[in-house]
Amino acid sequence: MVTRPQKTRFQPGPSRKQSKDQLIERFEQKYVVHPSVVPQIREFIRPFCIPDPNGRGEIPEYTVTTMQLDTAGSSLALAKERKAFSRFKLRIRTYGTEGAPSDPVFFEIKRKVGGVIVKSRAKMVRAQYDAEMFECASAVPRLSTPKDNTNLIDFLRLRRQVGALPKILVRYIRESYFGENDDYARVTFDRRISYRPTDLWDLPTSGSERSKRWRAMDTQTGLKTGFAGYVFELKAMRDAPTWMLELIERFDLNSIGFSKYATAHRLESLYSQSEYTCAGENVTQSW
């Protein structure tokens, strides 16, 4: 039996300016939507949103790959499962699958205190990425801005403090939109959500053999729903635009506490003995 989650509401009001600062404080609400509803939501947001310029194609999409770090006892994943009031994630994020030397790499600390998300990140390019930086201070590269340097040092310090190592790689295709007249408003649809365990600092590319061994997460078991669907997310600052509230009401959306990493951790504990190539498994009809 699937438990119907409680409906969570944003509060209306103006958004905040300068939202692209590297320290971002925001609220996020996630929903699971059936693939048949996605075109209707796209039509609803059309007057209020513009496509993410980083997306490709008529539907603005791109591939996201995240290396999730955790302790030997998976304390960061378990903090989510135990609904700890204050918790954080350490992750290294890349976009696309080509792995060009000039492609960006983001080091992110994502903290959650109550219902508020505070995210800091540092940006480098792949050519600067070196696994030695995690153990040797002299191998840490100098980045392009003081804020990037500060955030990278903070990431490396916290990683060393808790003893976090590579645990899981999460990959998905994201369809993304920005609020056209809002200082900070994001709408995203995530599909083909998959994961694989890892114990390497290597950033994955599409050409490696290990990159083929992915396990689907957007299934009924992964999403804890009666259907395989999209993870739909609304992001705003402390106050959300009115059109987001109308969208939630129009489609009767009910928020879920979905975490890609926590879900991968849960599924891995269930299916650790079975590996398959994600592309060969027809588990998500919307792919």
Side-chain angles (χ1 to χ4, degrees), residues 26 87 95 102 120 130 136 149 153 157 201 244 287:
R26 69 190 186 195
R87 54 186 185 265
Y95 295 88
S102 59
S120 62
D130 185 345
C136 180
N149 286 311
I153 294 302
R157 176 197 57 77
W201 289 108
M244 279 192 178
W287 287 13

Side-chain angles (χ1 to χ4, degrees), residues 205-217:
T205 62
S206 58
S208 65
E209 178 63 27
R210 289 171 65 91
S211 70
K212 301 177 183 178
R213 298 179 177 273
W214 296 88
R215 303 170 181 175
M217 295 167 58

Side-chain angles (χ1 to χ4, degrees), residues 79-140:
K80 163 65 178 177
E81 295 296 314
R82 294 166 180 164
K83 295 180 169 46
F85 180 81
S86 178
R87 54 186 185 265
F88 67 90
K89 295 177 184 175
L90 293 169
R91 63 194 192 188
I92 302 173
R93 176 164 288 182
T94 59
Y95 295 88
T97 58
E98 293 78 11
S102 59
D103 285 350
V105 180
F106 295 95
F107 293 72
E108 298 182 350
I109 304 174
K110 185 176 182 180
R111 297 178 173 92
K112 184 170 186 179
V113 182
V116 179
I117 303 296
V118 180
K119 185 173 78 172
S120 62
R121 70 180 188 178
K123 178 184 177 181
M124 69 173 61
V125 297
R126 277 184 179 252
Q128 295 175 297
Y129 183 86
D130 185 345
E132 288 191 17
M133 78 176 76
F134 298 102
E135 298 297 339
C136 180
S138 63
V140 177

Side-chain angles (χ1 to χ4, degrees), residues 26 28-35 38 41-42 52 59-66 91 93 95 110 170-177 186-194 217-219 223 227-235 256 258-261 284 286-287:
R26 69 190 186 195
E28 301 176 352
Q29 294 295 337
K30 296 177 183 175
Y31 312 87
V32 176
V33 297
H34 194 276
V38 172
I41 296 178
R42 286 192 193 116
D52 185 334
I59 295 175
E61 293 185 325
Y62 49 82
T63 300
V64 183
T65 305
T66 304
R91 63 194 192 188
R93 176 164 288 182
Y95 295 88
K110 185 176 182 180
V170 174
R171 177 170 286 177
Y172 50 95
I173 296 176
R174 168 159 288 181
E175 176 183 346
S176 176
Y177 300 89
R186 291 284 305 276
V187 177
T188 60
F189 301 90
D190 293 342
R191 65 184 183 90
R192 298 194 73 170
I193 308 170
S194 58
M217 295 167 58
D218 50 358
T219 60
L223 298 175
F227 57 89
Y230 286 62
V231 173
F232 175 60
E233 189 167 3
L234 298 174
K235 302 177 184 179
I256 60 169
F258 182 80
S259 162
K260 295 181 180 70
Y261 174 47
T284 307
S286 60
W287 287 13

